[in-house]
Amino acid sequence: MKVNTTRRNVFAGLALAALIGTTGCSAVNPQATTFEYAPSDGTQTTVMADENGDANSDAVDFLNIGVIAESADGVGALMGTIHNKSDSNQNVELQINDESLSFSLEANEILKLEDEEVTIEGVGTEPGNLADGVASAFGQDEEFNVSILPPTFEEYRELYPGDLNEDEHVEHLYDFQGQYHRDE
């Protein structure tokens, strides 16, 4: 019985191409799941006790940091979490534009800023933009950007310290939407 080697080679080539096509991407592209990122609207940074910052070094994480404000001149609410990952108490500072805030955290403490109801008078940056931020701990500073978020986002309305006229902010969203307009 004669074996058709051409046909066998074609099928082997197709099988190899399918195998490389479905698994080869991870060989040449970094996996997105290995990157640390801020999964919400706020931003994050880490201040390491050792400026070389190895994995075993003490650290303070500033996570999901943002300010909910209606304007650059108005009052804003600070949101986010500060996690002292060290074995000792830490005094940390968070500077957003010209406003400096200080917090004392015990060893391994997680501080939710929303629970503290911290407000900032005149954050100096319009909502939708990024403010200049500096996180400080262990005598080290880390510069990062801080999200300035409008209180029109439903998930942030309850955190906003001022009065919000929702209709004033969302009415334009319903113009020219035909049958999908909001009924008054």
Side-chain angles (χ1 to χ4, degrees):
M1 183 167 140
K2 183 177 175 188
V3 176
N4 187 346
T5 57
T6 304
R7 180 181 266 175
R8 183 181 292 168
N9 289 342
V10 168
F11 284 127
L14 288 173
L16 181 62
L19 182 65
I20 289 173
T22 58
T23 61
C25 290
S26 63
V28 294
N29 293 318
Q31 292 180 341
T33 56
T34 62
F35 296 120
E36 195 172 304
Y37 67 98
S40 188
D41 295 323
T43 55
Q44 67 184 23
T45 192
T46 298
V47 180
M48 306 293 285
D50 178 14
E51 60 185 50
N52 296 332
D54 68 358
N56 297 324
S57 179
D58 287 338
V60 175
D61 287 338
F62 293 77
L63 305 167
N64 196 32
I65 303 297
V67 177
I68 301 146
E70 194 169 16
S71 69
D73 302 329
V75 64
L78 184 63
M79 67 170 213
T81 301
I82 302 175
H83 182 189
N84 178 11
K85 296 169 119 180
S86 73
D87 292 332
S88 60
N89 295 350
Q90 293 299 320
N91 292 321
V92 301
E93 187 173 304
L94 178 61
Q95 181 178 342
I96 301 171
N97 287 337
D98 296 328
E99 183 83 23
S100 290
L101 305 158
S102 297
F103 305 95
S104 295
L105 283 83
E106 294 181 10
N108 298 305
E109 181 181 357
I110 297 174
L111 175 67
K112 294 183 128 318
L113 297 171
E114 296 92 326
D115 296 342
E116 301 297 312
E117 297 183 7
V118 179
T119 58
I120 296 175
E121 291 292 332
V123 71
T125 302
E126 289 295 328
N129 292 315
L130 296 171
D132 295 328
V134 178
S136 303
F138 310 106
Q140 308 284 339
D141 294 337
E142 282 293 326
E143 293 182 4
F144 71 115
N145 294 318
V146 177
S147 299
I148 308 301
L149 305 163
T152 53
F153 292 145
E154 193 169 329
E155 57 269 25
Y156 301 130
R157 284 185 198 143
E158 66 182 46
L159 299 175
Y160 181 62
D163 293 327
L164 178 67
N165 182 349
E166 181 182 338
D167 289 335
E168 181 181 306
H169 291 282
V170 298
E171 190 60 40
H172 70 280
L173 299 175
Y174 299 102
D175 293 343
F176 308 110
Q177 291 187 2
Q179 66 180 359
Y180 302 106
H181 63 62
R182 180 169 69 171
D183 293 328
E184 299 284 328

